[in-house]
Amino acid sequence: MTTALEPALSVRQVLALERVLAGEPEVVAGASQLDRPVRWVHVAEAADVGVMLSGGEMVLTTGVLLAGDPEAQAEYIRSLHRAEASAVVLGLGRAFPTPPEVMRRAAERCGLPMVVLHRPFPFAELTEEVQSRLVRRKFAAVSLSESVRTALTGLITAGAPLQRMLDEIASHSACPVVVTNLAHRVLATAGERSAVDDVLRDWERIARQAGGREGDGWVRAELGGRGERWGRIVLCGYRGDAATGRLLADRGAEALVLHRMLGGTVHSWEEQSAESLLTDLVSGVVPARQLLPRARAAGLPVNRRTFVPLVVRDAEAVQLDRVLRLLGLSGLVAELADGVVAVLLSLARDQDAEALAAHFATRLRTEAGGGAADACKAAVVAAADARTGWDDVPAGLREARHVADAVAESPAGLDLPVVVRLRDVHLRGLVRLLRDDPHVQSFAERELDGLLCGADAESELLPVLRTYLATGRNKSRTAQLHHVSRPALYRRLEAIEARLRVDLDDFEQAASVHIALLAHDAQQG
């Protein structure tokens, strides 16, 4: 991918230069076109100067060869227009003491900015000033191009993730940066958070603009290779000159294409986008209301929907996403931790949320696919009750995560429904939900203090206590699981009772210790 570096001053900027102001410039035609770029400044008196131009020149003339010939004056302006000159500057003097009306009308019809200088002005000073500024700007553009390319190449070499790449592009462009697929679904963003949120809030309109003609600071570059496009990068509301914005977008696109070709990330960009959104929802660090624009821009239906938070253990995100597609369900899938995947279903209000969640879990367990199918048969699908308000989604995802973790910590062999809910994990689920409560933590420490402070607690006594209570205080089963004799088990249970100062044969005392142990294990987990 190549970029034509054409940094330029606008006609308006040239007229604002101090040296030009000394000539008392007056715009007499084409005032609406003063933002045209000036690529070069050309001094010419020839009537056929248009044939010498290649476009973008500001032509300086005294009109000495045009005086007294209205037709030549009109043709002069038309030839400049055909050559795509940026403007014509006429120095008033002996040839034209006042602005020539024929030239003015012709320039107005063509939309060509025409400027007259009321005071004598050495054109050499203007050309020197503008040319030097253009050269400096072009050098600065080349320098910026190499600086951006070097920075991004360094990040690719270091194996930086996509987000770090976009942060670097955003720091150079000083505006929100958005990466989308061809359907305008947002895959990643970078930039000041509030500015990015403003862009995403109105993303449907912006996406249409970004996919069509550029303008007003929206600069896009295509992502793809070998004749196939698969996305685009968009600078949203770039405030610098258009050439620099184009340069930044193209350099960013080059780097992102290379980043993807080299396989710098394990997951696809779509998966990373969902992972970032769901992780922020679960953490609660960012208010749910602020994440709504990101969810909408990522393609999740959010208006008048029912949301079903799910957390699946012992399954892969790619398999869950495939099941979603097979069932035609809308949702986001993201891995929260190793072997723990969050799924947020978005259903129409008239759909049966509980039945569809069960259908999803059943299809996941029965989905054929070699090794993946075996993994899915063992998958645990935990769910929270459906939410009709977006603000309630984070709590639902956290509840589903607690249920999934509670199942993981439960004794093996439990008969669980296809979709496990909080009511199915009973006391263990309640304790997990309350594990961060200071009162629960204090209770667990107080009840288990005699064991937790002992050097041999974790190595011997605490596991015995955990098994004894989990088996319903079955001494034979506990001895069998720990491969010890009954007398040896009795001695250990007596040591536990002595340290905790409790009677484990008393139901209430045993229940209190059991709850404290569940809370301790939940906090450790």
Side-chain angles (χ1 to χ4, degrees):
M1 185 183 301
T2 60
T3 300
L5 296 175
E6 293 290 344
L9 294 167
S10 68
V11 175
R12 191 187 309 278
Q13 289 173 317
V14 172
L15 297 181
L17 296 177
E18 186 175 349
R19 289 189 179 183
V20 179
L21 291 175
E24 297 182 9
E26 177 190 0
V27 179
V28 297
S32 63
Q33 302 295 319
L34 295 183
D35 290 321
R36 285 182 171 185
V38 176
R39 189 180 59 83
W40 207 243
V41 177
H42 191 68
V43 180
E45 298 294 350
D48 59 348
V49 64
V51 300
M52 309 175 194
L53 307 180
S54 58
E57 294 90 350
M58 174 180 277
V59 178
L60 311 180
T61 183
T62 62
V64 65
L65 300 181
L66 302 174
D69 189 344
E71 180 55 35
Q73 295 169 21
E75 177 56 28
Y76 182 81
I77 295 297
R78 289 193 294 267
S79 69
L80 293 181
H81 171 65
R82 290 193 297 270
E84 298 183 348
S86 61
V88 58
V89 178
L90 175 66
L92 299 181
R94 185 177 304 174
F96 292 103
T98 60
E101 186 63 18
V102 172
M103 294 179 69
R104 190 198 68 76
R105 285 199 306 268
E108 194 65 54
R109 283 194 298 270
C110 293
L112 176 70
M114 179 176 174
V115 182
V116 296
L117 301 175
H118 287 277
R119 294 177 61 86
F121 183 83
F123 286 165
E125 290 187 10
L126 175 56
T127 57
E128 179 185 6
E129 175 79 8
V130 175
Q131 316 297 39
S132 63
R133 285 176 179 264
L134 290 174
V135 169
R136 288 199 300 270
R137 287 165 69 89
K138 190 162 188 175
F139 177 78
V142 173
S143 178
L144 174 63
S145 174
E146 290 307 309
S147 174
V148 173
R149 179 184 280 121
T150 299
L152 294 176
T153 301
L155 291 174
I156 294 172
T157 303
L162 171 65
Q163 189 60 54
R164 181 67 187 87
M165 303 279 293
L166 292 182
D167 288 341
E168 182 70 22
I169 298 169
S171 70
H172 286 284
S173 62
C175 71
V177 176
V178 176
V179 174
T180 75
N181 62 14
L182 294 181
H184 305 301
R185 177 174 293 186
V186 174
L187 306 181
T189 63
E192 185 183 353
R193 191 71 262 163
S194 61
V196 171
D197 288 344
D198 287 342
V199 168
L200 296 185
R201 196 170 290 114
D202 196 22
W203 181 248
E204 288 186 10
R205 178 187 64 81
I206 291 174
R208 288 194 296 270
Q209 183 176 15
R213 185 177 62 85
E214 296 182 1
D216 298 327
W218 304 106
V219 187
R220 67 184 176 92
E222 302 298 325
L223 302 176
R226 298 177 181 176
E228 181 182 3
R229 293 186 302 115
W230 39 262
R232 58 178 56 91
I233 179 173
V234 186
L235 307 187
C236 303
Y238 178 71
R239 297 306 176 195
D241 66 80
T244 304
R246 165 55 48 201
L247 179 151
L248 290 171
D250 284 349
R251 290 294 172 266
E254 286 178 355
L256 295 183
V257 169
L258 182 58
H259 183 269
R260 183 151 174 162
M261 286 176 58
L262 294 178
T265 56
V266 176
H267 305 297
S268 72
W269 291 356
E270 291 85 353
E271 291 171 332
Q272 290 182 64
S273 175
E275 183 176 316
S276 173
L277 176 59
L278 289 182
T279 299
D280 285 346
L281 277 170
V282 172
S283 70
V285 174
V286 182
R289 183 58 48 182
Q290 294 183 22
L291 296 173
L292 186 58
R294 286 173 57 188
R296 183 182 290 111
L300 184 73
V302 296
N303 295 331
R304 297 187 58 79
R305 304 290 286 187
T306 297
F307 303 101
V308 183
L310 304 173
V311 170
V312 185
R313 297 189 69 100
D314 302 321
E316 297 181 357
V318 64
Q319 183 72 7
L320 300 183
D321 188 63
R322 183 169 180 269
V323 172
L324 274 186
R325 296 176 189 275
L326 286 173
L327 298 179
L329 297 176
S330 297
L332 295 177
V333 178
E335 186 172 346
L336 299 180
D338 191 19
V340 179
V341 182
V343 181
L344 180 61
L345 299 180
S346 175
L347 308 176
R349 289 284 175 89
D350 59 353
Q351 290 180 290
D352 188 332
E354 193 160 333
L356 283 174
H359 186 38
F360 171 81
T362 302
R363 185 60 180 265
L364 175 64
R365 291 189 176 187
T366 59
E367 175 66 21
D374 296 335
C376 288
K377 290 176 183 177
V380 173
V381 179
D385 291 336
R387 265 62 174 173
T388 56
W390 176 257
D391 289 341
D392 298 327
V393 168
L397 285 168
R398 288 193 290 272
E399 179 182 317
R401 175 71 186 270
H402 285 310
V403 172
D405 290 345
V407 172
E409 295 169 1
S410 298
L414 289 181
D415 186 17
L416 295 172
V418 65
V419 177
V420 187
R421 301 180 185 275
L422 193 58
R423 61 178 177 266
D424 301 312
V425 290
H426 307 294
L427 179 61
R428 190 178 297 274
L430 174 64
V431 170
R432 280 204 61 84
L433 283 176
L434 300 176
R435 66 177 178 175
D436 295 326
D437 187 296
H439 297 293
V440 175
Q441 295 173 353
S442 176
F443 168 76
E445 290 291 323
R446 184 172 62 251
E447 289 289 300
L448 301 176
D449 180 62
L451 284 183
L452 297 179
C453 64
D456 59 345
E458 283 293 341
S459 62
E460 183 176 313
L461 297 182
L462 202 58
V464 170
L465 175 62
R466 186 179 290 110
T467 303
Y468 180 62
L469 295 174
T471 58
R473 293 182 295 172
N474 187 320
K475 295 176 181 177
S476 297
R477 181 62 177 154
T478 301
Q480 181 183 8
L481 290 174
H482 284 271
H483 306 291
V484 297
S485 65
R486 290 283 292 271
L489 176 66
Y490 295 155
R491 286 193 296 272
R492 294 181 186 180
L493 291 176
E494 289 171 359
I496 290 171
E497 290 179 322
R499 290 197 179 195
L500 297 182
R501 297 187 294 278
V502 298
D503 179 5
L504 292 178
D505 289 329
D506 181 90
F507 175 79
E508 184 173 336
Q509 294 182 54
S512 181
V513 172
H514 193 187
I515 292 171
L517 186 57
L518 289 176
H520 169 75
D521 289 346
Q523 291 160 18
Q524 297 302 308

